[in-house]
Amino acid sequence: WRISRRSSSGRSPNRRRVRMKKFTFPLESVMKYREYLQNEAELALGKAMSAEHDIQVRLDEVASQYVALAEKMRGSTDFHSIARANDFYVFLDRQKDFLSEKMAEAKLVSEQRRKELQEAMQKTESLRKLRERQFDEYKDAEMNEANDIADDMTNARAARGKI
């Protein structure tokens, strides 16, 4: 029986594989926190836009009620129905004014949330770019180190051949 000098991985026992250290981004926890803040800002903007949409739906309902009432009252000669319709017109105008004020407030809130989201996205993106730049530097250093090892091995073989 012949005993092989190779290990189970197929490598010679004298050859050691050099492992490069794993890339770590020192600001990873800060970046995760920034991403969390960005997600929170996205949710807040979504809620603000939803509130704005709900108000717009209610304004549209008021407008459609106004049009429907005008169609219904066209050609009416009954004093009591005209008086009730007039009261309802006044109610719809007040509701429209109230909803318009709420819409203006909701638009301000949406704009503020949009700005907050934009700031959060900029901060997160700057950290991502920094991480990518550091990762590229890490890959370059790793490649240089691998090339140096390969050169050393080639030089060592060449030196052994001359002896």
Side-chain angles (χ1 to χ4, degrees), residues 116-132:
E116 290 171 2
L117 175 60
Q118 191 174 29
E119 289 173 10
M121 289 173 69
Q122 287 174 347
K123 290 177 181 178
T124 304
E125 187 61 27
S126 65
L127 281 175
R128 281 192 185 121
K129 286 181 181 179
L130 177 63
R131 181 176 190 245
E132 287 176 18

Side-chain angles (χ1 to χ4, degrees), residues 85-116:
N86 190 40
D87 290 343
F88 195 63
Y89 280 134
V90 170
F91 169 74
L92 289 176
D93 283 338
R94 286 182 187 157
Q95 197 171 22
K96 181 186 76 163
D97 292 342
F98 172 76
L99 290 173
S100 295
E101 288 176 18
K102 288 292 181 187
M103 178 60 92
E105 292 171 8
K107 284 185 183 277
L108 289 174
V109 169
S110 292
E111 188 59 35
Q112 180 63 33
R113 299 293 183 252
R114 195 170 282 111
K115 286 179 184 176
E116 290 171 2

Side-chain angles (χ1 to χ4, degrees), residues 13-111:
N14 294 337
R15 290 188 188 170
R16 281 187 277 153
R17 185 160 197 237
V18 178
R19 292 194 181 225
M20 304 296 168
K21 67 178 184 174
K22 182 180 175 184
F23 173 74
T24 55
F25 181 55
L27 299 174
E28 188 71 33
S29 60
V30 174
M31 191 168 84
K32 294 291 183 197
Y33 179 67
R34 297 278 186 194
E35 289 171 345
Y36 168 77
L37 291 178
Q38 180 178 337
N39 288 336
E40 289 295 313
E42 288 171 355
L43 290 173
L45 176 60
K47 288 178 183 178
M49 291 179 71
S50 175
E52 193 176 319
H53 176 72
D54 291 344
I55 294 169
Q56 184 61 50
V57 167
R58 289 172 54 195
L59 277 168
D60 293 344
E61 288 173 2
V62 168
S64 67
Q65 287 176 342
Y66 200 88
V67 169
L69 183 60
E71 285 292 321
K72 183 178 178 184
M73 294 309 299
R74 185 168 302 175
S76 178
T77 56
D78 182 28
F79 176 76
H80 292 292
S81 23
I82 292 173
R84 282 193 308 260
N86 190 40
D87 290 343
F88 195 63
Y89 280 134
V90 170
F91 169 74
L92 289 176
D93 283 338
R94 286 182 187 157
Q95 197 171 22
K96 181 186 76 163
D97 292 342
F98 172 76
L99 290 173
S100 295
E101 288 176 18
K102 288 292 181 187
M103 178 60 92
E105 292 171 8
K107 284 185 183 277
L108 289 174
V109 169
S110 292
E111 188 59 35

